[in-house]
Amino acid sequence: MFDLSHFIVRSLLNLALAGAVGLGVAGCAISSPPPQVPIELGTGGAGQVASARLTRYADHVLVSGTVKNWSMMHNATGHIEVLVLDRRGREVARVTAHILPREVPATIRGLTGSSSFAVPLPTEPPPSGRLRVLFLPDSPARP
């Protein structure tokens, strides 16, 4: 049975968390526009990366975005993999990020469940390169 109050509380917590992430990085000075590199969004299981953006700060480049869950039956659990690729598609760097909340809620009554992520890159993307942002489902625990 669907509990609307539980869904509303989770949605409000998600919004508060996204605001906290924004406030946490708001103290850093944005030094210049983000690198202009294409961003490929990927999917895995019920979850799908819905948006991703780059923000350049004085000392790092941050990738942040949202994951949506289009399933009406199951919450999606997983993590984000960000791959920095050169112009030939070779991997330059890879970083893993958790999503918050850790489970992307199922879509209920037209309200699409979502989670957020934010992760600094270990290296700036090359100008002719691209980013690939993937949502990968977590493997089920083995007994």
Side-chain angles (χ1 to χ4, degrees), residues 35-38 56 84-87 124-130:
Q36 296 299 315
V37 297
R56 179 184 284 147
V84 180
L85 306 171
D86 67 11
R87 65 182 177 91
E124 184 154 328
S128 59
R130 65 183 186 275

Side-chain angles (χ1 to χ4, degrees), residues 14-105:
N14 192 20
L15 287 172
L17 181 61
V21 168
L23 289 175
V25 297
C28 301
I30 297 176
S31 61
S32 61
Q36 296 299 315
V37 297
I39 301 175
E40 301 172 1
L41 306 180
T43 183
Q48 178 179 2
V49 179
S51 68
R53 63 197 158 278
L54 284 174
T55 308
R56 179 184 284 147
Y57 295 94
D59 58 345
H60 67 280
V61 176
L62 185 78
V63 178
S64 60
T66 58
V67 176
K68 300 284 186 179
N69 182 359
W70 304 109
S71 170
M72 291 196 258
M73 301 295 290
H74 305 287
N75 291 348
T77 59
H79 62 278
I80 296 294
E81 293 266 333
V82 179
L83 286 74
V84 180
L85 306 171
D86 67 11
R87 65 182 177 91
R88 293 188 176 171
R90 294 178 297 208
E91 187 176 312
V92 175
R94 176 187 295 246
V95 64
T96 301
H98 293 293
I99 57 172
L100 296 171
R102 291 297 308 251
E103 285 189 346
V104 187

